[in-house]
Amino acid sequence: MHLERLQLNNFKNYTDADLLFSNNVNCLVGNNGVGKTNVLDAIYYLSFCKSFFNSIDSQNIRHGEDYFAIHGDYLMEEPVRVSCTLKRGQPKQVKFNKKAVTAFADHIGRIPLVMVSPSDQQLIIGGSEVRRKFIDGVISQADHSYLSNLLNYQKALEQRNRLLKQFHEDRYVQEDALVVWDDQIVRYGEPIYEKRRAFLEQFLPCFNEYFALIADSEITNEKAGIVHVSQMNEPLPFSQQLLDARQKDAILQYTTVGVHKDDFDFLIGEYPVKKFGSQGQQKTFLLALKLAQFEYIFRTLGVKPMLLLDDIFDKLDLPRIKQLIRLVGSSRFGQVFITDTQQGRVESIFEETPGIDHKIFTVEAGSIR
């Protein structure tokens, strides 16, 4: 699977753009702020029906215009056109081969994609919600039942929390009403926990392999790991934990136990990469995470996801950059999109790693050649 052609109309800083891509490596080169990342975000839109960077769709319409349109022509088992359009004041529309996508969740996984961005630093320095969202996103692209359980769990959690706030206002706890939502939370939460646990068992060997490849661990002796931290690791049944926490939850007005409290500890050696990892080690950790995400989706779906690498050379030394380009440009990966600010650096890397089919696009403010 690869994206052959991308057309943009009034998307972010582009009035019109029409791009034909290599089915291997595509590099978008230009100064900061000229729109390189916007091209990647348009490609992301076609896979996930939303922006990677801005959750408010209308803010992705070019200033002074009434709509945006993104069209992508893919080569899968057969040619496929995917479109995402938005007109101010109207619902967003996504079409797959001219057929409207009525439930965006059903579209997830049709065009698998992995995005690597400077904002991924939040996976290391941010709160547990960021890491859960990453893990959930990886699993959901390959498992629709998991995504369904997540959505149902979130609905039940919102209802339970709403009741807890109401009880606080009424100064009376109606426990029978909580039982209904406790049952729902357990029903959907237990398979979420089990899937996360099983996922990590599959994911870790692949992650360790990519970390070693990028870090050249035989030389650096760096070892990395991920640990699933969950209240459900405890032997006490989840239903009993909810019951035991009921009084505390009523006081705090929110649910204090469940898979929505899970976290994932990122380690180098025995130490948190957040506190003890250098910038280079943190960047290597993040790249290994995303490449392992690619591998997991490929093994599960049998399709190589598109790989979007936004400004990934920053804080990596030249040997690691060359190792990364050799890796993603190999037959192991599919179609790759890379942004960078230094055209000379990109050109020299490809000169030193011959045999990689590629195209280099020069990006200036709102235009590409």
Side-chain angles (χ1 to χ4, degrees), residues 136-172:
D136 290 342
V138 178
I139 302 173
S140 294
Q141 282 199 75
D143 188 336
H144 275 278
S145 65
Y146 181 81
L147 179 58
S148 177
N149 284 333
L150 276 177
L151 295 174
N152 286 320
Y153 181 91
Q154 187 60 38
K155 290 176 184 176
L157 182 65
E158 289 171 358
Q159 291 292 337
R160 189 179 194 271
N161 288 343
R162 190 174 290 118
L163 274 178
L164 291 169
K165 290 178 182 178
Q166 186 63 49
F167 294 160
H168 180 79
E169 292 174 4
D170 297 342
R171 298 187 179 183
Y172 174 74

Side-chain angles (χ1 to χ4, degrees), residues 29-77:
V29 184
N31 294 328
N32 290 323
V34 296
K36 303 184 302 295
T37 300
N38 293 344
V39 175
L40 301 192
D41 202 26
I43 298 170
Y44 186 90
Y45 245 111
L46 295 177
S47 286
F48 292 96
C49 310
K50 64 180 181 179
S51 167
F52 182 83
F53 300 99
N54 192 338
S55 60
I56 302 175
D57 289 308
S58 61
Q59 293 182 0
N60 296 306
I61 299 174
R62 181 178 169 85
H63 293 305
E65 302 294 341
D66 292 328
Y67 77 98
F68 77 66
I70 308 168
H71 305 285
D73 293 322
Y74 296 83
L75 185 61
M76 300 182 184
E77 294 180 353

